[in-house]
Amino acid sequence: MKASTKQVLQLVVGLGLAASLLIWGLPYFAKTSWTDIWTVIRSIPLSHVLLFQGLMLLGLYCYTFTFTGSLHGLSHGKALIVNLCGSSVSNLLPGGGAVGLAATYAICRSWGFSRRATSTSVIVTGVWNVLARIALPVVAIAALWFGGVTLPGVLKDLAAAGMVTGIALLGTFVAVMVSERAAQLIGRGLDAVVRPLMRRRRKGKPAASIEDLVRDLRARINDIVRTGWVSMTLGMVGFFAAYYVLFVLIMRETGVTLPLNLLFAAFAIGRLLTAVPITPGGLGVTEAATSIVLVGWGAEPAAAAAGLVLFALFTHLMEVPLGALGWLLWTASPKAEPPTEGDEPALASAAG
């Protein structure tokens, strides 16, 4: 099957499933109807809609600090273009994050950034993103638990799974960064698993050594983290803070009066579910699951569902036309020939 055909099928199936979950699943799980949901949505003034869009754009701009911190020489304007283009692709395909990363890699290379700098940036921002999305629900649910709020069993399981995954990822990342010996051990372990698979995929070509990759990346990532961790962290905090404010304002506008700690927990769970690769950006899955949480905590069903629809519109669907604008801006931007580099055992061969 050609890659283009496979991508078209992924797009059709993913969007079909997302539409089914939104059209049928959201009102079913929220225990309401689309008639009631649309009644709430139609009551939102246009001026407030423009405010919501402005907050969404503010969040995207905050995220540019994460990009500029991980790729020296990248301007905030270009970082915004990269963010828009990568997000639009990710939001169109189930598991589209890999395609979004490939788009980010290609765009940065077209502006003259080296393979080594670009691949390091992609890895570091990916780690920062995953850890942030895992940390949000863990922090929120822990705060609710200590505050005496009763949690459904599924949320306790989600918190436990997120905590274990987050600790494992963070522990591995820190171990590789701090200890040369740990980097070698992890690299050898990955080599034992991955190299046989790579040999089968790349017949007649030598398989890249994951151990060499880990060791090579370690020095580069250490340099980026040492000089850019403040910018990257503030960028992530600003991004999620802007989106949380947007979430709260939308919920208040639609009539959800839950306290802020419960809204933060619902928001955090939703951000984690956006990583579910079943549908593009977790669309449909996120809204249906979050509606169960909000209604279970006492939110009015139609108000909660309407708020989730609006939040998905601004944070997911609006990124697609903005992404088209980003692609146009990239096409019109001046290009630069990337530097010729020597032997790179790492991501260059994997990306190709």
Side-chain angles (χ1 to χ4, degrees):
M1 181 182 293
K2 294 182 179 180
S4 58
T5 304
K6 182 178 179 180
Q7 289 173 358
V8 170
L9 287 176
Q10 286 179 327
L11 176 62
V12 171
V13 172
L15 290 179
L17 182 56
S20 298
L21 287 169
L22 282 174
I23 295 171
W24 172 82
L26 179 60
Y28 174 81
F29 290 112
K31 301 176 183 178
T32 186
S33 68
W34 272 108
T35 301
D36 293 337
I37 294 172
W38 284 123
T39 299
V40 176
I41 291 176
R42 283 197 299 268
S43 68
I44 308 299
L46 178 60
S47 59
H48 293 191
V49 171
L50 295 176
L51 170 64
F52 298 154
Q53 184 62 59
L55 273 172
M56 177 262 198
L57 292 173
L58 175 62
L60 293 181
Y61 181 76
C62 287
Y63 195 79
T64 64
F65 286 85
T66 299
F67 274 125
T68 56
S70 67
L71 185 56
H72 297 156
L74 182 69
S75 68
H76 286 279
K78 287 185 174 181
L80 185 59
I81 292 175
V82 171
N83 192 12
L84 291 175
C85 293
S87 296
S88 65
V89 173
S90 300
N91 288 346
L92 283 174
L93 292 172
V99 184
L101 288 178
T104 298
Y105 185 85
I107 290 170
C108 291
R109 289 280 291 154
S110 76
W111 286 332
F113 291 99
S114 68
R115 287 193 182 98
R116 298 172 70 84
T118 304
S119 61
T120 306
S121 171
V122 166
I123 291 170
V124 173
T125 54
V127 170
W128 247 245
N129 208 310
V130 169
L131 290 177
R133 290 178 187 272
I134 290 174
L136 276 173
V138 172
V139 171
I141 293 173
L144 292 179
W145 185 75
F146 283 113
V149 177
T150 302
L151 297 177
V154 65
L155 294 188
K156 293 180 181 178
D157 294 341
L158 180 64
M163 188 174 296
V164 171
T165 304
I167 291 174
L169 283 173
L170 182 61
T172 301
F173 186 72
V174 171
V176 170
M177 294 303 98
V178 172
S179 170
E180 174 72 23
R181 180 176 176 82
Q184 291 176 355
L185 290 174
I186 292 170
R188 289 169 190 164
L190 291 173
D191 253 345
V193 175
V194 174
R195 289 195 71 157
L197 300 176
M198 294 180 69
R199 288 195 191 99
R200 286 197 289 269
R201 282 190 62 189
R202 301 168 66 92
K203 294 179 180 178
K205 297 180 181 180
S209 169
I210 305 300
E211 181 181 356
D212 290 343
L213 167 61
V214 171
R215 294 175 63 185
D216 178 62
L217 283 175
R218 179 175 177 268
R220 290 188 274 151
I221 293 176
N222 264 325
D223 179 62
I224 292 297
V225 171
R226 183 176 63 253
T227 59
W229 74 270
V230 173
S231 177
M232 291 188 294
T233 302
L234 290 177
M236 293 299 303
V237 170
F239 170 73
F240 283 116
Y243 271 35
Y244 172 59
V245 172
L246 174 62
F247 183 76
V248 170
L249 290 180
I250 288 177
M251 289 299 164
R252 291 292 187 251
E253 189 69 33
T254 59
V256 176
T257 59
L258 294 177
L260 294 178
N261 61 337
L262 295 182
L263 288 179
F264 180 70
F267 167 78
I269 292 165
R271 293 306 86 199
L272 180 62
L273 291 174
T274 58
V276 174
I278 300 174
T279 61
L283 185 64
V285 176
T286 300
E287 289 69 37
T290 309
S291 70
I292 297 174
V293 174
L294 289 172
V295 173
W297 280 333
E300 200 279 320
L308 291 170
V309 170
L310 287 173
F311 189 68
L313 173 66
F314 289 108
T315 61
H316 188 102
L317 298 180
M318 280 304 298
E319 286 191 356
V320 176
L322 287 173
L325 175 61
W327 283 106
L328 287 175
L329 292 174
W330 169 69
T331 301
S333 67
K335 308 300 188 295
E337 189 68 26
T340 302
E341 297 171 85
D343 186 28
E344 295 187 70
L347 206 59
S349 41

